[in-house]
Amino acid sequence: MNYNLLRDTIELLENFEKYKQENGGYSEDSEGFQQFIVDNYKSVATIEPDWEGKENGRNPDSVINTLIVQMNRFAKTYSKAAIHESDFSTQEDFIYLINLKVFGPMIKMELIKRNIHDKPFGMQIINRLIHQNG
């Protein structure tokens, strides 16, 4: 058992009791205790993160979108290296087969939708895989 956690919790309860005696304002139940913690102890979630360009008005959505695009580019780069000397032509070939392995047999359109492609592009990938297996 983690006794440090238990000691910390008891200390929080003591602080709660002391605060209630001096200031009141909280109910004497777990909801009052929870509200006391929220009001008096800053959590990591309430700390505003910092990011490049924030001081110039760049918003969090812009940062998230940029990171998603960069993750996609890294994934493409690493997947090209991983399939370099294999029978796979593209990253999509490999991902289509992974989806079939994980989710089992499915109709072509279901596979295409699962991979978020349009029908012509998805059919091209499927036909290439069928031809390779041929």
Side-chain angles (χ1 to χ4, degrees):
M1 181 168 194
N2 185 348
Y3 292 104
N4 289 330
L5 178 59
L6 187 56
R7 283 185 201 104
D8 291 345
T9 304
I10 290 171
E11 185 178 322
L12 276 173
L13 283 166
E14 288 172 347
N15 292 342
F16 173 62
E17 289 294 322
K18 182 178 178 184
Y19 186 91
K20 272 193 335 179
Q21 288 174 355
E22 293 173 2
N23 304 300
Y26 294 104
S27 60
E28 293 191 27
D29 55 14
S30 63
E31 288 161 3
F33 180 55
Q34 290 171 18
Q35 190 60 50
F36 168 76
I37 291 172
V38 168
D39 292 345
N40 294 286
Y41 295 89
K42 191 170 211 141
S43 74
V44 175
T46 61
I47 298 172
E48 178 77 24
D50 195 24
W51 59 83
E52 187 177 355
K54 182 178 181 179
E55 64 280 351
N56 297 326
R58 187 171 188 200
N59 66 27
D61 292 340
S62 170
V63 175
I64 292 168
N65 287 328
T66 299
L67 292 172
I68 289 171
V69 168
Q70 289 175 341
M71 283 175 39
N72 183 42
R73 289 181 184 152
F74 283 128
K76 283 185 178 184
T77 300
Y78 290 126
S79 67
K80 283 181 186 177
I83 65 173
H84 175 65
E85 292 183 12
S86 73
D87 293 336
F88 298 109
S89 302
T90 66
Q91 170 187 1
E92 284 81 12
D93 294 357
F94 185 67
I95 293 171
Y96 269 58
L97 292 177
I98 288 173
N99 276 315
L100 286 171
K101 176 74 173 162
V102 171
F103 298 106
M106 60 184 85
I107 62 173
K108 291 178 183 179
M109 281 311 298
E110 187 180 351
L111 181 60
I112 291 168
K113 286 179 182 177
R114 183 166 295 279
N115 285 284
I116 313 171
H117 285 132
D118 58 12
K119 184 177 179 180
F121 187 70
M123 289 302 295
Q124 184 180 34
I125 294 168
I126 292 170
N127 290 333
R128 183 170 52 240
L129 289 169
I130 291 170
H131 179 72
Q132 276 182 330
N133 195 28

